[in-house]
């Protein structure tokens, strides 16, 4: 079991961050915020994928009416993301934002930061101080320090200033596109600050490299007990960010949203066509919400061991599969019936568990 | 910089493992080993994807002739993967295997393990002791210990026995499908044994979940300096395993095979169609072998910072992109020309670097 760092807790609408709350999965819309219908449709898709908090950019004043409509109708708490113009952040607190995200490095003067914090305090919502390597304040950017220390120092100086004025409903992030710099900056923050941390690797790249960089970076931090909410950044459909976020939490057995699938990589020993079988099983498991463990294995080497260890498993060989449930062989099924036979057992178990939970 | 654990070194054909050698990327064929032509075609594809050592299963004696043909013609050193029948391992040493992989848990008696080790010693090739949660020897499987300790104890007992007989050209692995158990078992091994470690999460699952589990597990280990060669296990095309393996090494700045691409996740602030631009740039970068850093950014928040920090970068806004090279703005280009303009600069830099390297 991973021991989590103790932090203060904040509430983002109905979702708690820090202080022992489950690690919340976030994403960000990439629709035009002025188009509230398209943005709400994307938020609904994100919620279906498992997103728990959604961030929406307010780039200009003409996005404010749309932002208000989004907050009123969104099924998820909405975080207003603001850069450059602090007045947009103040307006967002009046339009239903459940949290603000500002980057003090580009909001202008400290007076403007103070004005934003005051508005958040009046609205009773938390603020994320989101420092980013791509937009450090010049006073830090120009120092001859390692990037992680610049990110850390910038975040801490703003948090201390804000806490000094009596506002502590803070969440903190300090992201870089370098995994090593990101990990180092969060380790420093975790040691120094009592606030929950929003973790992520910024501008991580396209689906594949972004998934790997986020998994490596967030995996290292989460395994050290660091991180209270996460966002995976991908140059891709934001629903993929949510799926990857959940996969990272599942990989470390921190939180699961769907059953666990163990499947073998196949090799020259495999005598059934495993890849489509595993893919079809994975697709069907995605809609289930019980913590069942399923194994789809291709041969006699590790197959029986893993299939026996799972709640439901199949160990294949020469065109047939041995079906296991809770470690016992139930029956032998021909290759063409493996998916249906396995899923019938999984679905039966899923129904039992769902009813047990009621 | 990550400080790597010091280990003994072994040679797998021309590729060194451990003792400060670069972390080698492996995969395993999933063709029928009897079909040497199909297997060699897959090995060629794997080599093109960046695979450095390839493992081939010998499930039965009828795969031995094919295995010999594969060893003779393979562009990569070939590891023979044997379970159950130790005579196949002995034969493989005579057919050109550059390394053996056995799992003592399923090779039968310790005398048989000794016979395999003796044959490897005569052939002058190393042996991987590859323990796996799905096939632990019964004496460990039945103990009431955490899985990681069972894997560790099993691996150590075989290594000590083999070293006691004077053979130390060993590589060790102890994989589970649980990331936490895998990480714990390798941490124990890294503390206890002087041999290089082959790291991997076994039966990690399909493309997405397997990529995430492998990235989290191997990322944690590599960041701690643990791991001398790696294999990503995916229920997918083995070439994907190689690509993901390289992405994990690149994520931690340990090794790179292609240029680095930093690209933003896009949001409501983005005024150009970023996803296809980033994907096309990524596709074209994949064939390059120089360590160029490229940034493809969608807006004015982090765009100029990241684009300036890269060797070549583009920061977009309202249908145009600002093209940077080594921190300097070169020119403004219309959206439709972003990919070509960016790639022309990257290719020029790639040519300069390639020539400089000669």
């Amino acid at each position: 079991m991973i021991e989590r760092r103790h932090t203060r807790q904040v509430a983002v609408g109905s979702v708690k961050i820090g202080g022992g709350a489950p690690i919340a999965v976030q994403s960000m819309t990439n629709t035009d915020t002025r188009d509230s219908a398209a943005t709400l449709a994307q938020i609904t898709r994100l919620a279906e994928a498992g997103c728990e908090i959604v961030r929406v950019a307010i780039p200009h004043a003409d996005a404010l009416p749309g932002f208000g409509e989004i907050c009123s109708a969104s099924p998820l708490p909405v975080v207003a993301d603001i850069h450059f113009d602090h007045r947009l952040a103040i307006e967002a607190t009046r339009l239903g934002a459940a949290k603000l995200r500002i980057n003090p490095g580009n909001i202008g003067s400290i007076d403007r930061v103070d004005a934003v914090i005051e508005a958040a305090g009046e609205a009773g919502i938390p603020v994320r101080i989101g420092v980013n390597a791509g937009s450090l304040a010049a006073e830090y950017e120009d120092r001859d320090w390692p990037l992680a220390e610049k990110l850390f120092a910038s975040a801490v100086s703003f948090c201390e200033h804000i806490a000094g004025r009596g506002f502590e409903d803070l969440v903190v992030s300090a992201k870089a596109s370098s995994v090593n710099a990101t990990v180092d900056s969060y380790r420093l923050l975790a040691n120094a600050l009592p606030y929950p941390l929003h973790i992520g690797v910024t501008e991580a790249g396209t689906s594949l490299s972004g998934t790997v960089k986020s998994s490596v970076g967030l995996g290292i931090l989460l395994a050290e007990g660091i991180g209270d909410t996460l966002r995976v950044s991908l140059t891709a459909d934001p629903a993929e960010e949510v799926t990857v976020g959940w996969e990272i939490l599942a990989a470390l057995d921190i939180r699961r949203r769907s059953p666990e699938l163990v499947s073998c990589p196949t090799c020259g020993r495999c005598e059934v066509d495993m890849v489509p079988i595993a893919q079809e099983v994975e697709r069907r498991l995605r809609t289930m919400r019980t913590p069942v463990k399923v194994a789809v294995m291709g041969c006699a080497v590790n197959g029986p061991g893993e299939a026996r260890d799972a709640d439901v498993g199949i160990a294949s060989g020469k065109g047939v599969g041995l079906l296991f449930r809770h470690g016992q062989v139930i029956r032998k099924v021909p290759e063409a019936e493996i998916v249906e036979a396995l899923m019938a057992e999984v679905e039966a178990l899923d129904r039992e568990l769902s009813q047990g939970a009621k």
Side-chain angles (χ1 to χ4, degrees), chain A:
Chain A
M1 284 301 300
I2 297 165
E3 194 178 330
R4 291 189 45 204
R5 166 182 165 260
H6 183 75
T7 73
R8 291 176 60 99
Q9 187 173 73
V10 302
V12 182
S14 57
V15 179
K16 303 274 193 292
I17 298 179
I23 296 167
V25 175
Q26 306 202 19
S27 184
M28 185 169 184
T29 55
N30 64 2
T31 47
D32 186 328
T33 305
R34 290 170 299 189
D35 186 346
S36 57
T39 305
L40 282 164
Q42 190 174 62
I43 292 174
T44 301
R45 276 207 310 123
L46 290 172
E48 283 162 5
C51 184
E52 300 172 302
I53 297 172
V54 68
R55 184 152 50 111
V56 174
I58 307 180
H60 308 289
D62 58 2
L64 287 169
F67 182 80
E69 290 161 25
I70 292 162
C71 290
S72 304
S74 171
L76 300 177
V78 178
V79 181
D81 192 76
I82 287 113
H83 296 270
F84 307 122
D85 187 346
H86 74 291
R87 292 166 302 181
L88 300 175
I90 294 167
E91 281 304 311
T93 65
R94 297 171 186 152
L95 291 168
K99 177 180 161 197
L100 299 180
R101 180 271 167 122
I102 58 168
N103 177 345
N106 62 28
I107 213 78
S109 65
I110 196 76
D111 291 349
R112 290 178 176 178
V113 173
D114 291 345
V116 171
I117 295 296
E118 194 173 309
E122 279 169 22
I125 61 174
V127 176
R128 168 155 68 101
I129 298 301
V131 175
N132 195 299
S135 50
L136 269 171
E139 60 189 294
Y140 295 100
E141 178 58 41
D142 299 340
R143 293 190 196 186
D144 187 23
W145 292 358
L147 176 56
E149 289 175 30
K150 293 198 258 189
L151 289 163
F152 166 71
S154 173
V156 168
S157 93
F158 283 107
C159 289
E160 285 179 347
H161 171 81
I162 294 165
R165 294 172 56 90
F167 187 94
E168 295 213 66
D169 276 352
L170 294 172
V171 177
V172 182
S173 67
K175 303 183 188 180
S177 60
S178 151
V179 170
N180 289 323
T182 302
V183 166
D184 287 346
S185 72
Y186 279 101
R187 284 176 176 156
L188 293 169
L189 290 171
N191 266 327
L193 294 178
Y195 310 115
L197 298 178
H198 165 119
I199 58 174
V201 177
T202 193
E203 291 107 26
T206 56
S207 282
L208 178 67
S209 67
T211 295
V212 172
K213 283 176 79 171
S214 297
S215 300
V216 171
L218 304 191
I220 292 170
L221 290 170
L222 291 167
E224 294 178 12
I226 298 172
D228 303 283
T229 179
L230 65 82
R231 189 236 175 150
V232 170
S233 293
L234 301 178
T235 310
D237 180 343
E240 275 188 50
E241 300 184 341
V242 175
T243 305
V244 173
W246 277 101
E247 291 284 353
I248 293 171
L249 293 174
L252 288 164
D253 274 327
I254 292 172
R255 278 184 89 186
R256 278 188 198 283
R257 192 167 180 264
S258 303
E260 176 179 9
L261 175 62
V262 171
S263 66
C264 75
T266 83
C267 70
R269 203 171 282 119
C270 192
E271 293 170 310
V272 299
D273 192 8
M274 283 296 300
V275 177
I277 293 175
Q279 284 173 340
E280 176 62 13
V281 170
E282 181 178 55
R283 195 186 63 76
R284 295 216 211 166
L285 293 179
R286 230 181 257 291
T287 57
M288 293 185 186
R289 296 284 165 266
T290 52
V292 178
K293 181 172 176 183
V294 180
V296 176
M297 302 289 296
C299 85
V301 174
N302 300 314
E306 289 285 357
R308 203 174 286 128
D309 184 53
D311 294 305
V312 181
I314 198 114
S316 308
K318 284 216 179 93
V320 296
L322 266 188
L323 185 63
F324 290 77
R325 178 165 167 166
H326 291 148
Q328 303 299 319
V329 176
I330 300 185
R331 63 179 187 280
K332 197 179 270 190
V333 291
E335 178 173 354
E337 296 168 24
I338 283 177
V339 172
E340 294 308 323
L342 181 79
M343 288 309 301
E345 287 301 326
V346 174
E347 282 157 12
L349 189 58
D350 180 57
R351 275 192 303 275
E352 288 167 29
L353 289 169
S354 306
Q355 281 163 5
K358 273 173 199 160

